[in-house]
Amino acid sequence: MTPAVVLLSGGLDSTTVLAIAKDQGFAPHALSFRYGQRHSCELDAAARVAAHLGVAEHIIADIDLRRFGGSALTADIAVPKGRAPEEMDSAIPVTYVPARNTVFLSFALAWAETLGASDIFIGVNALDYSGYPDCRPEYIAAYEQMANLATVAGVEGRQRLRIHTPLIDLTKAGIIQRGLALGVDYALTSSCYDPDEYGRPCGGCDSCLLRAKGFAEAGVADPLLNRFENP
């Protein structure tokens, strides 16, 4: 099987991408990050997902983005709650972590080169998202072009890196439907930016609201909520 690096946060989108990579015949090497996020229970979710779906290897890399601050996910800044969809579309929210996807993709690129892999999967989405600039198609295209200039394997012609973004133009409902068709168990995932100590979602942050909207439009119940109602 062809190796591929899959960025796995433990959330709904990255879990779906992992299932897609497996369905396409890749041997996924899952990469998660302990970057100082306050919602670190997502790493528990990533471990559950990696074990359930089966990966060749799962690495959790340690980097400390708290040193730079600037985000409600890494600093002592309140996570916005109860925002209407039009508010989410109006400006980049404080939950944006500066250059996070660029940092993550750089680690993925390094691992891909050592694996001899030419494929990286990432769960960015340009429709139902909170306006993050590093989720846009033009950003991914530019990064892919740069990545092919950045490694020995690329320069020597041994690697032509491709960044796969299978969710880029799907709605959240479409993502959920795709995952369910592949047998994804979304009860294992964690999307909330401000969960409680047990990992129970807050229900009011942008990520929770987008997730709820997706399940409602897909016409299915969110099994994560059932897990907390029936521990």
Side-chain angles (χ1 to χ4, degrees):
M1 296 176 70
T2 303
V5 176
V6 180
L7 291 174
L8 179 66
S9 70
L12 185 153
D13 293 346
S14 68
T15 297
T16 307
V17 166
L18 175 57
I20 290 171
K22 287 205 67 178
D23 184 63
Q24 292 180 358
F26 289 95
H29 294 252
L31 179 58
S32 307
F33 294 90
R34 185 179 292 105
Y35 62 90
Q37 65 268 52
R38 293 163 57 188
H39 58 307
S40 59
C41 66
E42 71 175 5
L43 293 175
D44 296 328
R48 290 193 298 268
V49 167
H52 179 71
L53 290 178
V55 298
E57 189 176 4
H58 180 210
I59 287 179
I60 298 177
D62 288 286
I63 50 178
D64 191 1
L65 298 183
R66 292 175 301 179
R67 298 293 297 272
F68 307 132
S71 170
L73 301 191
T74 58
D76 189 18
I77 301 171
V79 172
K81 302 284 181 72
R83 299 204 310 156
E86 54 271 19
E87 290 182 87
M88 296 184 198
D89 293 336
S90 63
I92 297 170
V94 72
T95 50
Y96 163 70
V97 179
R100 181 176 60 179
N101 279 347
T102 301
V103 173
F104 289 179
L105 282 169
S106 296
F107 274 68
L109 175 60
W111 197 15
E113 185 172 19
T114 63
L115 289 170
S118 296
D119 300 275
I120 294 173
F121 284 78
I122 182 172
V124 294
N125 176 261
L127 295 181
D128 283 343
Y129 77 121
S130 294
Y132 298 153
D134 52 4
C135 289
R136 297 172 299 157
E138 54 266 41
Y139 163 77
I140 295 296
Y143 193 97
E144 182 178 278
Q145 182 179 12
M146 180 280 297
N148 280 295
L149 300 172
T151 65
V152 171
V155 170
E156 292 181 347
R158 292 184 284 108
Q159 178 191 57
R160 176 63 188 175
L161 188 82
R162 182 183 174 196
I163 300 177
H164 299 256
T165 57
L167 312 184
I168 194 75
D169 57 359
L170 294 180
T171 64
K172 192 67 74 178
I175 293 168
I176 291 166
Q177 290 166 340
R178 181 75 184 277
L180 291 175
L182 293 173
V184 171
D185 181 1
Y186 288 116
L188 302 174
T189 66
S190 177
S191 301
C192 183
Y193 291 151
D194 192 26
D196 67 14
E197 60 183 313
Y198 305 105
R200 188 189 310 272
C202 72
C205 69
D206 288 2
S207 188
C208 280
L209 293 174
L210 289 171
R211 180 175 174 129
K213 174 176 177 284
F215 274 101
E217 291 178 354
V220 294
D222 185 348
L224 175 63
L225 303 181
N226 293 335
R227 179 163 70 86
F228 283 103
E229 290 174 1
N230 302 287

